[in-house]
Amino acid sequence: MTNSTSKSASINSTVGTRSRVVILASGNGSNAQAIIDACQSNKVSADIIKVISNIPSAYVLTRAANAGIDALCIDHKRYPNRESFDLVLAKELDSLQADVIVLAGFMRILSEGFVNQFTGKLLNIHPSLLPKYPGLNTHQRALDANDEEHGTSVHFVTPELDGGPVILQAKVPIFESDSADDLAQRVQSQEHEIYPIVVNWLCSKRAILKSDGAYLDGKKLPECGYASE
Ligand code: GAR
């Protein structure tokens, strides 16, 4: 490296540093797309340095390629157990020096060791108004319970499944004629609005995970996250 390149490299590394974001996703990747778009249009001051999927045929890998972002598949079926898959994933994230790791429809339970290694950097979006309906089939469960409203939650990931502190939720109404698919679509359009906002909060360090919960701008957030009413 010449003197002039090393000087400009050091200026670039201290001025306007952009966060290094990695997205983990297992499927269609519409949330990943919303975050990619927000970063590429500078609404979020971050670079997506890689999209990783555990499913070789996941459309999210095509979305990444179309956006000019490195895409990688780590096929979980090639590993004998959860821990061995998580170790490979952790090694990859470590080598990428990820500041923020965004789970966007990543349909894998992560081991406690993995979550603890990246604590405070891991975000997830879950299609329910947590703490209601952790786990699967959330839209059908909201319909079966005759709920009048449903929604989505962005939260920090902790070892408890879908149990980490909520940062932001969005609510949607449930109408009598709704099917689970109708509800999923209504929820997803809200997800595409709120997930990039929270990624931006974490990248800019406005949102922080502490031992007693999630904080935004130095204030502890309530159980349902920011602006829950
Ligand atoms: C999203 O609705 C997300 O909330 C959900 O999967 C969908 C992925 O859609 N995540 C979970 O259920 C995690 N427990 P996408 O691939 O189009 O972003």
Side-chain angles (χ1 to χ4, degrees):
M1 188 185 278
T2 65
N3 274 348
S4 64
T5 12
S6 92
K7 193 172 171 193
S8 76
S10 84
I11 289 168
N12 286 341
S13 66
T14 53
V15 175
T17 308
R18 290 167 70 87
S19 297
R20 297 169 65 79
V21 173
V22 177
I23 296 178
L24 308 184
S26 302
N28 174 29
S30 66
N31 278 285
Q33 187 71 59
I35 294 163
I36 289 169
D37 292 346
C39 289
Q40 293 193 335
S41 62
N42 282 323
K43 286 185 189 139
V44 175
S45 177
D47 293 316
I48 315 253
I49 49 174
K50 205 160 233 176
V51 171
I52 302 176
S53 182
N54 61 312
I55 305 283
S57 59
Y59 184 61
V60 71
L61 294 169
T62 305
R63 291 183 187 268
N66 289 344
I69 295 168
D70 269 0
L72 171 70
C73 178
I74 305 175
D75 183 353
H76 67 273
K77 291 198 176 132
R78 298 180 61 179
Y79 297 88
N81 53 37
R82 187 171 308 286
E83 282 69 27
S84 55
F85 169 83
D86 284 4
L87 272 180
V88 172
L89 182 59
K91 208 170 157 199
E92 179 68 27
L93 292 168
D94 236 5
S95 75
L96 292 168
Q97 298 183 295
D99 299 309
V100 171
I101 301 156
V102 176
L103 312 188
F106 188 61
M107 305 307 278
R108 296 263 322 157
I109 294 174
L110 294 162
S111 55
E112 187 168 350
F114 178 96
V115 172
N116 289 337
Q117 184 176 343
F118 298 103
T119 191
K121 295 182 173 184
L122 284 166
L123 285 179
N124 184 41
I125 192 156
H126 181 75
S128 77
L129 296 172
L130 290 171
K132 267 191 162 180
Y133 312 133
L136 299 175
N137 302 321
T138 58
H139 310 302
Q140 191 57 53
R141 286 157 73 196
L143 289 175
D144 292 347
N146 289 319
D147 287 352
E148 288 179 357
E149 61 180 16
H150 184 47
T152 184
S153 308
V154 179
H155 65 96
F156 280 113
V157 177
T158 62
E160 187 192 342
L161 179 67
D162 301 324
V166 171
I167 305 168
L168 187 60
Q169 291 186 325
K171 290 180 181 171
V172 300
I174 299 181
F175 302 117
E176 257 183 48
S177 58
D178 276 342
S179 66
D181 281 351
D182 295 330
L183 209 43
Q185 271 185 31
R186 198 170 304 131
V187 164
Q188 281 217 336
S189 67
Q190 292 301 311
E191 293 188 328
H192 304 158
E193 298 296 320
I194 69 168
Y195 213 177
I197 292 173
V198 179
V199 171
N200 199 30
W201 286 350
L202 189 56
C203 288
S204 60
K205 300 193 169 51
R206 289 182 61 191
I208 293 174
L209 176 66
K210 295 191 184 181
S211 57
D212 63 341
Y215 283 71
L216 183 68
D217 297 333
K219 288 193 194 124
K220 187 168 179 216
L221 292 170
E223 190 189 25
C224 294
Y226 178 76
S228 55
E229 282 307 323

